[in-house]
Amino acid sequence: MASSRSLLCDQLHCSICLDVFTDPVTTPCGHNFCMICLKEYWDSSSHCQCPMCKTNFAKRPELCVNKFISALDDPFKKADQVKSSSTAENPTQSLVLCDVCCEKKRAAVKSCLICMTSYCEIHLGRHERISSLKKHKLMAPVANLDDYICLQHERPLELFCRDDQMCVCKFCTQTEHKTHNTVRIEDESEEKKTELGKVQTEVQQKTQERVKKIEEIKDSVNLNKKNTENEKADIVEIFSALTRCIERSQAELCKVMEEKQNTAKMQAEDFVKELEQEINELKRRNTELEQLSHTEDHLHLLQIFPSMCSPPHTQDWTDVTINPHLSVATLRRALSQLQETLSEEMEKVPEIKLKRIQQYAVDVTLDPDTAHRYLILSTDGKQVTCGDKRLNILDNPRRFHNYVCVLGKEGFSSGRFYYEVQVRGKTEWHVGVARESINRKGKFTARPKDGYWCVCLRNETEYKALEYPPVSLSLKQAPQKVGVFVDYEKGLISFFDVDAKSHIYSFTGQNFTEKICPLFSPCTYDGGKNSAPLIICPVNQI
């Protein structure tokens, strides 16, 4: 049915313009043409003849529109208009035009590498019907057909030389590419598409990774902003307390100075009053002596002389001073109190730091496949103790052989994490983190160089950080619960006394290159003296 329609479509096309008839007319010899096409043909010729069969006419025939053919032609015209409209509305379709169409160019649907011509759907019909044309190399329409032809042999580029990584024609494989590995262009294109698909997948993956990284950075910025606000609030609180303490000390010192000033003033007024009284007494005596020195009553002079021969009694004012200044002892006492307050506020800093760190709390459980055969783990994987007998369990490459240790199931290769371990009631213990690849079978030294970052208790009272050599720790009190914080990117491992809210020790400047895991060692049973378990506790933020 489709073939009949295609054949009818070809019969309704003018052989001059190769387009669907416009005002079809019929010559006396029976051939059909567009009226305007036939008139232009006759006008350009010196004699009148049929363009198809070359029949000569004595005079130009009268031309009338063939209404039957015109009626048959209308549906095909409308179909062409719909196709043209569809092409105009969809700019993604081929913009290559048919090389055969004369006046109104249609969009090409195929290009022939043998004919070196692009065809619309109508003019492509011959390649679909004629057997010799069916063998031609058709492809999606392109404007630059010359780029698809071998410049040397003027044949279609149908093959791809993998040795020289270039497109070649069949004749090229018989000359300089004769021994080369050549395949069809379509096959090579499919392989390249597969490779492109892999590249596209990689590009998409990298895009997703970067989108994820952007989200991480944004989340980090928001978290840092929140932490900064909280830290600012804590700093304001601490400095406000210090400011209040300083202001209080200042006010108290000023009050003491004012009180001393008032006391000195009152004392000075008393001294002045006494001095004025003595001055009056001395003046009175001076007056009496002046009178006696001029008296003519010798008997009277001799009678009162004993009482007048010495000055009246007065106080010795030589060492009497007024000193309103603040004493050194008072100032020292005030500064000592201020220093004590400052120390109290400074002790709050580790508490604030611990509060910030606790937000990175993670859920840690013990990995039974790594536990030494003497270790007994709770069913929930939160407690470990050392027994006095070796358990009958299978060995595996991950299990510790010489040291009573166990790792956490959770490993970390980025970011920050924090967990807490109860060590109450134990005489010895080790707590910290270790590289996932640590030596679990032979002997080793627990130190950062070998992938261990731990603090420990030995001999009930000796606390050490396992550097090389170990660093003795002086703690105000025995920790009952130890907090472990790791910042992977900064290479920081810090330990805290959770109950005392104080810092124990930090390993700094470490370079992590692989996954690290929480590490626990309850140490040996020691005849029951060290039977208390290590317990991974839920983090209760301060």
Side-chain angles (χ1 to χ4, degrees), residues 102-235:
C102 294
E103 292 184 358
K104 188 177 181 181
K105 294 284 187 178
R106 298 183 183 85
V109 294
K110 292 289 183 181
S111 292
C112 178
L113 293 177
I114 305 300
C115 303
M116 294 296 289
T117 305
S118 297
Y119 297 99
C120 64
E121 187 173 0
I122 294 171
H123 294 124
L124 185 64
R126 292 177 179 274
H127 281 75
E128 295 174 344
R129 296 192 307 273
I130 300 173
S131 57
S132 60
L133 297 180
K134 288 182 179 180
K135 299 177 181 179
H136 285 194
K137 181 72 173 180
L138 296 176
M139 61 178 293
V142 292
N144 53 335
L145 277 170
D146 290 339
D147 294 343
Y148 294 81
I149 301 298
C150 176
L151 297 177
Q152 184 177 356
H153 303 109
E154 296 184 352
R155 300 293 297 172
L157 298 170
E158 301 178 86
L159 303 170
F160 183 81
C161 177
R162 288 179 171 172
D163 293 345
D164 294 333
Q165 291 293 301
M166 61 183 295
C167 297
V168 297
C169 70
K170 289 183 178 179
F171 287 108
C172 291
T173 61
Q174 298 174 10
T175 54
E176 62 265 28
H177 297 274
K178 185 175 182 179
T179 60
H180 292 185
N181 180 17
T182 57
V183 295
R184 293 193 316 143
I185 282 182
E186 292 82 359
D187 296 337
E188 185 66 19
S189 177
E190 288 302 318
E191 286 197 17
K192 290 294 188 286
K193 285 181 180 179
T194 302
E195 292 180 15
L196 290 175
K198 293 179 181 178
V199 174
Q200 184 181 14
T201 300
E202 184 179 353
V203 169
Q204 291 173 348
Q205 182 179 355
K206 287 187 175 181
T207 301
Q208 292 174 356
E209 289 174 355
R210 279 146 183 78
V211 169
K212 184 179 179 181
K213 180 56 69 175
I214 289 174
E215 292 302 319
E216 289 178 1
I217 292 173
K218 289 182 178 179
D219 291 342
S220 177
V221 169
N222 292 333
L223 182 59
N224 287 338
K225 181 180 179 182
K226 181 180 177 182
N227 290 341
T228 300
E229 293 299 324
N230 292 333
E231 289 173 0
K232 283 168 63 178
D234 292 330
I235 289 172

Side-chain angles (χ1 to χ4, degrees), residues 290-303:
E290 179 67 22
Q291 291 175 354
L292 283 175
S293 64
H294 294 89
T295 184
E296 293 296 334
D297 188 347
H298 304 293
L299 178 61
H300 176 67
L301 173 63
L302 294 174
Q303 289 176 340

Side-chain angles (χ1 to χ4, degrees), residues 14 23 44 48 77 96 130 196 242 257 273 318 416 423 457 465 518 532 536:
C14 173
D23 297 332
S44 62
C48 185
K77 278 187 175 180
V96 180
I130 300 173
L196 290 175
L242 292 176
M257 291 180 68
K273 188 179 292 183
T318 305
R416 302 168 180 173
V423 295
L457 169 64
I536 302 172

Side-chain angles (χ1 to χ4, degrees), residues 218-335:
K218 289 182 178 179
D219 291 342
S220 177
V221 169
N222 292 333
L223 182 59
N224 287 338
K225 181 180 179 182
K226 181 180 177 182
N227 290 341
T228 300
E229 293 299 324
N230 292 333
E231 289 173 0
K232 283 168 63 178
D234 292 330
I235 289 172
V236 169
E237 181 181 348
I238 291 174
F239 278 86
S240 296
L242 292 176
T243 302
R244 288 193 299 270
C245 178
I246 293 171
E247 290 175 347
R248 184 171 61 251
S249 298
Q250 179 184 2
E252 290 174 355
L253 287 174
C254 289
K255 183 179 180 181
V256 170
M257 291 180 68
E258 288 177 358
E259 289 175 352
K260 283 183 174 291
Q261 174 64 29
N262 292 332
T263 301
K265 181 181 178 182
M266 293 175 63
Q267 188 181 28
E269 290 175 352
D270 291 341
F271 288 161
V272 169
K273 188 179 292 183
E274 289 182 26
L275 286 168
E276 288 176 346
Q277 289 176 356
E278 290 185 358
I279 290 170
N280 291 333
E281 181 63 25
L282 289 171
K283 285 180 177 181
R284 185 182 64 76
R285 178 62 59 87
N286 184 57
T287 301
E288 290 177 351
L289 291 173
E290 179 67 22
Q291 291 175 354
L292 283 175
S293 64
H294 294 89
T295 184
E296 293 296 334
D297 188 347
H298 304 293
L299 178 61
H300 176 67
L301 173 63
L302 294 174
Q303 289 176 340
I304 65 172
F305 177 78
S307 62
M308 302 291 288
C309 65
S310 60
H313 177 73
T314 57
Q315 183 177 341
D316 184 4
W317 295 93
T318 305
D319 297 327
V320 176
T321 58
I322 302 299
N323 185 16
H325 299 295
L326 188 66
S327 68
V328 175
T330 304
L331 182 60
R332 184 180 291 114
R333 188 165 52 253
L335 291 177

Side-chain angles (χ1 to χ4, degrees), residues 12-32:
L12 293 177
H13 280 69
C14 173
S15 58
I16 297 176
C17 68
L18 300 178
D19 205 344
V20 179
F21 287 125
T22 301
D23 297 332
V25 295
T26 305
T27 60
C29 58
H31 294 110
N32 301 308

Side-chain angles (χ1 to χ4, degrees), residues 365-387 391 393 399 404-409 520 522 533-534 536:
T365 52
L366 302 171
D367 185 356
D369 290 338
T370 66
H372 187 274
R373 292 184 177 182
Y374 272 87
L375 294 183
I376 303 170
L377 275 59
S378 62
T379 54
D380 63 357
K382 298 295 184 181
Q383 299 187 31
V384 56
T385 187
C386 185
L391 301 179
I393 53 178
R399 191 179 305 282
V404 284
C405 297
V406 60
L407 295 179
K409 286 183 179 180
F520 310 85
L534 290 178
I536 302 172

Side-chain angles (χ1 to χ4, degrees), residues 426-451:
K426 298 194 65 60
T427 58
E428 291 189 357
W429 51 261
H430 287 67
V431 170
V433 295
R435 283 200 300 258
E436 190 177 38
S437 63
I438 53 175
N439 178 13
R440 308 183 193 186
K441 299 302 181 183
K443 292 184 178 180
F444 58 83
T445 301
R447 57 184 179 179
K449 182 179 179 181
D450 294 328

Side-chain angles (χ1 to χ4, degrees), residues 57-83:
F57 305 113
K59 64 177 183 178
R60 182 178 293 195
E62 291 292 333
L63 299 176
C64 295
V65 175
N66 188 325
K67 294 182 178 180
F68 177 73
I69 295 176
S70 181
L72 291 174
D73 198 29
D74 283 343
F76 291 97
K77 278 187 175 180
K78 291 178 180 178
D80 281 352
Q81 291 173 355
V82 170
K83 288 178 183 177

